[in-house]
Amino acid sequence: MLRAFAPPGPDRRGLQEPPGGRPGRRRTATGPWWKPDARSDPWRDPHAPAGLTGPAVFEEPEDQPGPVVVDARGRRKLRLRDLSIRLSVLVLLAVVLVGAIGGAAGYLLTRTASETPLLAPGAQLNETSEGVSREPGSVSDIAERVTPTVVSVEVRLGEAGATGSGVVVDGENGYIVTNNHVISGADGVEGAEIRAVFSDGSGSAARIVGRDPASDIAVLKVEKPGLLTAALGESGDVVVGDPVVAIGSPLGLASTVTSGIVSALDRPVRLSGEGSDTNAVISAVQTDAPINPGNSGGALVNGSGEVIGINTAIASLGGGSVGLGFAIPIDTVRDIAEQLISTGRAVHAALGVNARSVTDGTRDGALVVNVEPGSGAAEAGIREQDVIIAVDDDAVGSSEELVVAVDAHEPGETVRIELIRGGASTTVEATLDEA
């Protein structure tokens, strides 16, 4: 290697001639010279000096030939004005071709498929293999358990007829509770028929055991063994906001279930209507569960499936439900039903006055219009124009509240009556009569 490529002496620079003294004619593995001027190529001369030059200098884009120019930061850009007409036409044709291909693809993907046969013999729709979960206490759970204890009550008077509801309270003996106004028109009328229709569609003739116009409660009896009995709750356990379910036959639609909440308690509601001798004031359970004509006598049920009231009335502007329904509390129903089943009649306490609601702007009360001679009120010294404001510390703000307060006691009990007479307050004691 030294003999072949080292400089020949200290006074000579550059590469040595190859053996034989002649450069190769072409680039080969044995020919060290590629070109005739290889001797003067600084890259082949190990003694060639090296040095740095200045930075690259770029021409301004305007001075550069287009269409691709380089700016001062070394970035390449396309200058459209330098594009040739031929290149512009090619770009335009490419755009048109891409648009045509996209339109054709969209048409193929969205075009209407050809019509298939209208009928498919043996067609089967998909089915789910998982059952629906119904939690205990849900509306569906309550409805399943309580609906068999609620009946439709059909009353027929010649060519006319009406439908209400009822609740089985003693399945062993066939006793059914309903409203007095549902069946009162058929009592003692020749040819009148009362029929109970059960949730399974079967029916049975019903007889009136007893009815009480003063509470709008009546009891029927059917001769049908094996009836399921409704569970009765306690009025004292009911609070505003409790979820409730109403079950009955509104508008003749048997086994109808609606739901809501308890909207208010101890709501004094007067019950009376054409075609019935019902004349009652009840301390009602108010609910927003939809109730319509035909729900009367049906069950108002709590979240445990216990009957807490008998649906009785609605407040309505046009005859339908507007979210204001009223039920007789179950404690009252139980008391009256037991009396009717035992004796055929029910007794109530009475004070012996007729009154109307009044107010002086600051205090409400019941104005005594007249006093029955010989009544507990007369013997207690209550006079006409007295305004009763309390019975045994229970405030009285209207004539309806006076009836409810008195009816909460038993005949023969002595109660304190607070009243306003001549602008002054006074208290008397009265012994309640039997109504």
Side-chain angles (χ1 to χ4, degrees), residues 10-367:
D11 57 343
R12 184 179 178 183
R13 301 180 63 183
L15 296 177
Q16 185 178 349
E17 294 289 345
R22 298 183 60 185
R25 301 180 59 183
R26 58 188 178 86
R27 180 183 179 185
T28 64
T30 59
W33 305 111
W34 296 354
K35 297 181 180 180
D37 61 348
R39 184 185 301 277
S40 61
D41 186 355
W43 292 99
R44 294 175 177 268
D45 185 359
H47 298 285
L52 298 176
T53 63
V57 177
F58 294 94
E59 297 180 357
E60 292 296 328
E62 291 77 5
D63 299 331
Q64 300 177 35
V68 179
V69 298
V70 180
D71 62 12
R73 299 177 62 182
R75 295 176 299 187
R76 293 176 176 271
K77 294 184 178 180
L78 179 65
R79 191 162 59 191
L80 297 178
R81 61 185 174 86
D82 291 334
L83 290 176
S84 64
I85 296 178
R86 180 178 299 176
L87 181 59
S88 301
V89 172
L90 289 177
V91 171
L92 180 61
L93 290 177
V95 172
V96 173
L97 179 60
V98 171
I101 293 174
Y107 169 75
L108 293 175
L109 293 175
T110 59
R111 65 178 181 176
T112 304
S114 59
E115 292 187 352
T116 58
L118 186 61
L119 301 180
Q124 291 184 340
L125 302 183
N126 63 324
E127 298 179 359
T128 179
S129 59
E130 297 181 0
V132 178
S133 175
R134 295 181 175 86
E135 299 295 331
S138 64
V139 174
S140 56
D141 173 65
I142 295 170
E144 182 179 7
R145 290 188 285 128
V146 181
T147 298
T149 70
V150 180
V151 305
S152 295
V153 178
E154 298 178 352
V155 179
R156 182 164 297 279
L157 301 172
E159 298 298 325
T163 301
S165 305
V167 178
V168 178
V169 293
D170 186 344
E172 182 178 353
N173 295 300
Y175 289 117
I176 298 172
V177 166
T178 187
N179 283 138
N180 176 70
H181 73 262
V182 172
I183 53 90
S184 60
D187 190 17
V189 177
E190 185 177 356
E193 297 180 2
I194 302 176
R195 183 176 177 83
V197 180
F198 305 96
S199 60
D200 61 1
S202 63
S204 177
R207 296 175 293 161
I208 298 176
V209 176
R211 58 189 189 88
D212 180 34
S215 65
D216 200 26
I217 294 294
V219 176
L220 303 176
K221 183 176 176 63
V222 296
E223 304 301 331
K224 184 177 177 65
L227 294 179
L228 188 62
T229 302
L232 306 184
E234 298 286 341
S235 297
D237 296 335
V238 182
V239 298
V240 174
D242 278 350
V244 290
V245 175
I247 304 176
S249 303
L251 308 178
L253 303 174
S255 301
T256 294
V257 178
T258 57
S259 65
I261 63 169
V262 173
S263 303
L265 295 172
D266 303 322
R267 181 77 74 192
V269 177
R270 183 172 294 278
L271 305 176
S272 61
E274 185 179 355
S276 173
D277 59 356
T278 294
N279 184 19
V281 177
I282 62 172
S283 180
V285 177
Q286 181 179 318
T287 178
D288 67 349
I291 294 176
N292 288 279
N295 271 118
S296 294
L300 187 67
V301 187
N302 65 14
S304 299
E306 299 170 338
V307 179
I308 61 169
I310 296 298
N311 299 319
T312 299
I314 60 174
S316 174
L317 299 177
S321 173
V322 292
L324 293 174
F326 305 98
I328 304 172
I330 194 61
D331 286 358
T332 301
V333 174
R334 184 187 288 108
D335 176 52
I336 300 299
E338 288 175 351
Q339 294 184 57
L340 294 177
I341 293 172
S342 299
T343 66
R345 60 186 295 269
V347 297
H348 298 269
L351 181 60
V353 300
N354 290 326
R356 63 182 177 86
S357 303
V358 293
T359 181
D360 62 3
T362 59
R363 177 180 293 178
D364 301 329
L367 175 66

